[in-house]
């Protein structure tokens, strides 16, 4: 047991030294190079205040970021044609059920052009978190997604 504690202390020390010596820059450069090779363009970070949003939800009601004042909001951009988005939606619903009582709200913003494919994507019932539509992708561009 004593050796385990020494190993953990050594690993923590090594990690601290790595960070202190600028190791994160090496990792960051490697990640950036890998993205460039794959043709991935890093999102532009928005400067200044959060652009907020004012979009229509599943039920035709307006939804604004200001409606969530005082709560944590996880904004998830997705589309019906995105396979990885489809794979993550059940996890997003589970996360929403677990963390909503602690003050987290998940808002899914679809970049589909209209509601028909979105509503067809959920044939039985709408998801446990609020779905909004950004048909022109203007908000997605403002957030740099």
């Amino acid at each position: 047991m004593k050796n385990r504690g020494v190993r953990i202390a050594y690993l923590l020390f090594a990690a601290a030294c790595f960070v202190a010596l600028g190791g994160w820059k090496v990792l960051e450069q490697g990640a950036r190079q890998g993205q460039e090779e794959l043709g991935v363009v890093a999102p532009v970070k928005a400067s200044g205040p959060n652009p907020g949003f004012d979009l229509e939800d599943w039920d035709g009601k307006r939804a604004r970021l200001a409606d969530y004042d005082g709560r944590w909001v996880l904004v998830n951009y997705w589309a019906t044609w995105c396979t990885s988005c489809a794979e993550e939606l059940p996890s997003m619903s589970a996360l929403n059920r677990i963390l909503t009582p602690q003050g987290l709200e998940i808002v899914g913003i679809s970049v589909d052009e209209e509601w028909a494919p979105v509503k067809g994507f959920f044939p039985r019932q709408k998801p446990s978190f609020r779905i909004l539509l950004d048909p022109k992708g203007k908000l997605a561009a403002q957030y740099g997604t």
Side-chain angles (χ1 to χ4, degrees), residues 60-71:
K61 297 177 185 169
R62 298 307 294 180
R64 299 174 305 130
L65 182 59
D67 298 339
Y68 297 94
D69 192 33
R71 291 178 274 177

Side-chain angles (χ1 to χ4, degrees), residues 30-102:
R32 194 175 308 119
Q33 183 180 359
Q35 288 177 341
E36 289 170 3
E37 288 172 5
L38 293 172
V40 175
V41 177
V44 176
K45 293 184 179 180
S47 61
N50 186 317
F53 56 76
D54 183 1
L55 300 169
E56 181 180 293
D57 76 1
W58 180 286
D59 298 317
K61 297 177 185 169
R62 298 307 294 180
R64 299 174 305 130
L65 182 59
D67 298 339
Y68 297 94
D69 192 33
R71 291 178 274 177
W72 289 94
V73 180
L74 171 66
V75 176
N76 179 23
Y77 287 92
W78 69 283
T80 56
W81 43 263
C82 170
T83 55
S84 61
C85 298
E87 293 170 359
E88 75 184 3
L89 286 173
S91 297
M92 299 290 285
S93 288
L95 183 66
N96 188 60
R97 284 190 296 275
I98 294 167
L99 294 179
T100 294
Q102 282 85 29

Side-chain angles (χ1 to χ4, degrees), residues 15-29:
C17 288
F18 180 75
V19 170
L21 295 173
W24 76 91
K25 287 289 185 192
V26 173
L27 293 176
E28 187 178 282
Q29 286 175 333

